[in-house]
Amino acid sequence: FTYRDNSYMVNLFTKYRGLEFFGTLENVKGTSAFSGVGFTYTQYALESLYHFGKDEKFFGGIRYNYVKNNTDNSINRLQIGGGWFLVPKILVKAEYVNQKYNNFIMYGSNAGFNGLMIESTISF
């Protein structure tokens, strides 16, 4: 539980033909209801996708996300991948992901993920 002292969020989305861009900037400042300690988090994310093929069933894209708090802990994540909508509600995609945790003593200096993800989704 937290008490928010000050926060804001800005989102931007634009699309031109098959190219999409999404960006977000978020900042929150508050005080923990349990410890009374103040905190600040800043996050920004950028994503660009390009849809192509008949009915834009295929896409490729890149995403970057960064989060930092007032104790100099930060996480950055880069994703590069592509996908295919087999039918309108079924997607198969593959992505290279590199996620790093910085200055997290409890996780160790080598915490994070670096590798390939392959997934399929069904939406309703």
Side-chain angles (χ1 to χ4, degrees), residues 23-117:
T24 188
L25 172 63
E26 183 175 18
N27 184 278
V28 62
K29 293 180 182 180
T31 305
S32 171
F34 296 113
S35 67
V37 175
F39 63 87
T40 302
Y41 283 92
T42 302
Q43 171 181 234
Y44 64 85
L46 302 169
E47 179 176 328
S48 182
L49 291 175
Y50 184 70
H51 297 270
F52 58 94
K54 185 180 179 189
D55 299 324
E56 296 185 341
K57 289 185 177 185
F58 300 94
F59 70 89
I62 186 168
R63 176 185 300 148
Y64 181 76
N65 188 263
Y66 178 79
V67 180
K68 183 178 187 312
N69 68 12
N70 56 310
T71 62
D72 290 330
N73 298 132
S74 65
I75 302 169
N76 54 311
R77 180 179 178 109
L78 174 67
Q79 293 175 246
I80 301 170
W84 174 28
F85 286 94
L86 301 170
V87 295
K89 303 231 181 227
I90 299 177
L91 169 68
V92 175
K93 68 179 181 174
E95 295 180 317
Y96 164 75
V97 180
N98 187 351
Q99 181 168 313
K100 295 180 183 174
Y101 293 82
N102 306 302
N103 299 318
F104 280 84
I105 296 171
M106 63 192 289
Y107 297 141
S109 61
N110 296 323
F113 175 78
N114 185 9
L116 185 65
M117 291 191 335

